[in-house]
Amino acid sequence: MAANPLQQLGERGQSVWLDYISRDLVTGGDLAKLIESSNVTGLTSNPTIFQKAIAEGADYDTQIGELLDAGATDLDALFFDLAVSDIQRACDILRPVWERTNGADGFASLEVPPALAHDTEGTVAMAARLWAQVDRPNLMVKIPATPEGIPAIRRSLAAGININVTLIFALSAHADVIGAYIDGLEERRAAGKSLDVHSVASFFVSRVDTAVDPLLEKAGNKDLLGKAAIANAVLAYELFEKEFGGERFAALRAAGAAVQRPLWASTSAKNPAYRDVLYAEALVGPDTVDTMPPATVDAFRDHGIVDGDTVKSDYAGAHATMTALGVAGVDMDTVTADLLAAGVKSFSDSYDQLIAGLAQKVSAMRGSHPARQSFWFAGAESPVVADAMRDGHGAETVRRIWARDADLWKKGDADAAKVIANRLGWLDVLDTMRAAVPRLEALSASLHDDGIADVVLLGMGGSSLCPEVWRTSFGQQKGSPRLHVLDTTDPGAIEAVGKAIKLDKTLFLVASKSGKTIETLSHFAHFKSLYDAAGITSPGRHFIAITDPGSHLADLASQNAFRDTFLNPADIGGRYSALSFFGLVPAACAGINVKTLLDRASAMRVHCAAGMPLDLNAGLFLGTAMGHLHATGRDKVTILAPQQIADFSLWAEQLIAESTGKEGRGIIPIGSEPLGDPSNYGDDRFFVVLRLGDDKDFDARVEALRQGRQPVLTLELSDAYDLAAEFFRWEFATAVAGSMLGIDPFDEPNVQESKDNTAAVLETFTSTGSLPTEQAATDSNGLTSYGGTLASLLDQIRPGDYVATMAYVTPDDATTAALQDLRRSIRDNRHVATTLGFGPRFLHSTGQLHKGGPNTGVFLQITADDTTDVAIPNQKFSFSILKRAQAAGDLASLRSHDRRVISVHITGDVVAGIERLTGLVSTTAGAARS
């Protein structure tokens, strides 16, 4: 049987390499068939090829899932794991060709990331990494022929790595590539190393005509159309023959070195007016390779014509063509330089699309779409975030966060570095938690088997706010216990929990990172005493501890035979612990699917990974927006969410406040503030909206903010499980914003002082039997003010301030509604941002911002008479006394920082007292206007 045209190319000394790869090509037998029937003796790949292969279909989904389950986060690494698997299979299929040709052919090529095109050191390191990872002798690593790539090519060849040099357009670049090849081999020979290293020089063809033909048409010169590309390639082959037939290479040839074969790339005709195999037919010759996409392989097999060694049949004609092009005004140096730049950009764009597609695939596989976000702003600051996302700092920030580089936040600060090194475990805690899923599921099942009806979380701040989000967002799951969160020392709230449960059907989660939190230990002592008083045997079976290894709570759990103890990774701060045992144990107890939570969070982690295109990096975008808008004066990040997930704003509030509020700086988070009309807000706001489902009223009010020219970032959630993704997004974003503010987002230098002040007040009480007192400023109608009047406090408000209401009262529904009316009145009458925190919970969150942040806070403390009290076993003070001491300690701390603050004590009905304060706000606002 006569040889087909592809086989005839082999007879002329030209190899055919397939310019394509996919999972089914290397697993379904198609590549082996092409080798057998079509003289295919190699394979090349590039980002565009992989982008199409991975994005289309589900061939890669199983491996992606396995890699994610194994903890993969970096999208670059995830892609190369997929690509390496394909390339290894291709190498193995081509191995018989490689062996038959004694290592001269049978190669598969894999390209370094396009982002390294201008990075010599990075390219050298990546080439070595890919060589080791693929671990096949018939691999070729592709490196572009940029000025920075040339030395990387030489060094990689000298290291014994086969190199496919890509993106060669200019003859001068081809000369540099040949020089790098010979230099690398000479270096190996001088070192006594084997010269069994191979390389091809990928000279791009049809793209030259694509660039030159329009110039010729514009100049009215049609005679040269379609001739520049072939002439350019022919002269490249002439250069090849000259250099490898010369005296310098002769010594290497004698020592066993192979020539660096020209590889004709881009030989499919882009112009439909040209014969589809035009370039392939014109460049036949010995010691060459033609890399063809599948369509060109089929076309050449069908009707390609092999008419001798066409590539070297007319060197004089090629020179004449190049001369004529110059006369026609075509500057080939400019054309080829532009083509190189465009080639790098094209591959870079394809790579970005590949990574973006991979990220979307990961999200879809994990059941969510965490990258869905939109940013709208028509004001003067609108370019700020967009410009910041385009510069190189964002990618560097992301890389340094994942590299755990403490200098990103506090350059050269050894003390800060020690703190930061012990606070970044949240970056990879998902892997630890995934391994713990069977244990968490077993816990959930055991509660069902034991008939547990209620689970009470005893914790403060970072230990309580995530469970509170689960409780309010998911509600009670069918067949699972009710989740309660107790994060207050208010005796009324403690008593209410006690009345809502049956001890023998209740499990308590005692949560404290340090294991020394006074509120949590007091809660435990109280409820443990109830079991003892009820005569319930083995009371420890009703308690689970969540704490750090070696803590006092861990010891307490052991001493009291707790049902279980979950020792959390110690390198996670409380406010970053939502996706650790502190958040997932309560979720599991409440019957929430923890695996789904982890899947959603893992998808978001991928969207925050190094290598994610900047415009798709969800955490980077949010953090950059917070940081840059803060710099423009929009430092009030206002979190809006529909009622079902509204409490997420309180978790985000404590994360941002405690992380950024220090050193006189800070982003002011505004959580749970009632949504108002655009006229209620100043120009110091940045709104972040969590959108869930179809809430027409909520959407309309958010749209009104946009129409009011406020900056609005909308984050789309599929369902409540996407809150797990948001936890990670906001943690990452806060780390980004902290780097922009130049603060350490992982310490809390001012939290301890309120604890110390509380301890001092309690010491006074235990020694004297009474709490400290001070002279009242006013005392009227059940409201006693200390440190000034409400009117005098509000009159101190300046543009850009915020008013913080700190309520040491029972946090029930009626009181909360009254306090929300109060803050709404303050905002609308004084046109100022407001926050609301129940004491002492906020001491473990926003309290850091109050003392350490900018002096833009105006503080209204509210206390009230308790109608009941609860004893704390083995203490000389009760919960009521503890709460009053905490209020006094907080007040003293604020005053020590010269904050504008008053305290108002309500006697009698608390709700009525708050309503009187609300009335005073309106009255004082009217007086101020008059």
Side-chain angles (χ1 to χ4, degrees), residues 619-635:
L620 175 65
F621 189 94
L622 175 58
T624 300
M626 289 196 296
H628 276 283
L629 291 178
H630 170 273
T632 70
R634 292 188 175 273
D635 63 339

Side-chain angles (χ1 to χ4, degrees), residues 835-851:
T835 68
L836 169 62
F838 281 99
R841 179 175 70 185
F842 75 85
L843 294 179
H844 298 259
S845 57
T846 54
Q848 167 61 47
L849 172 72
H850 295 169
K851 288 91 173 178

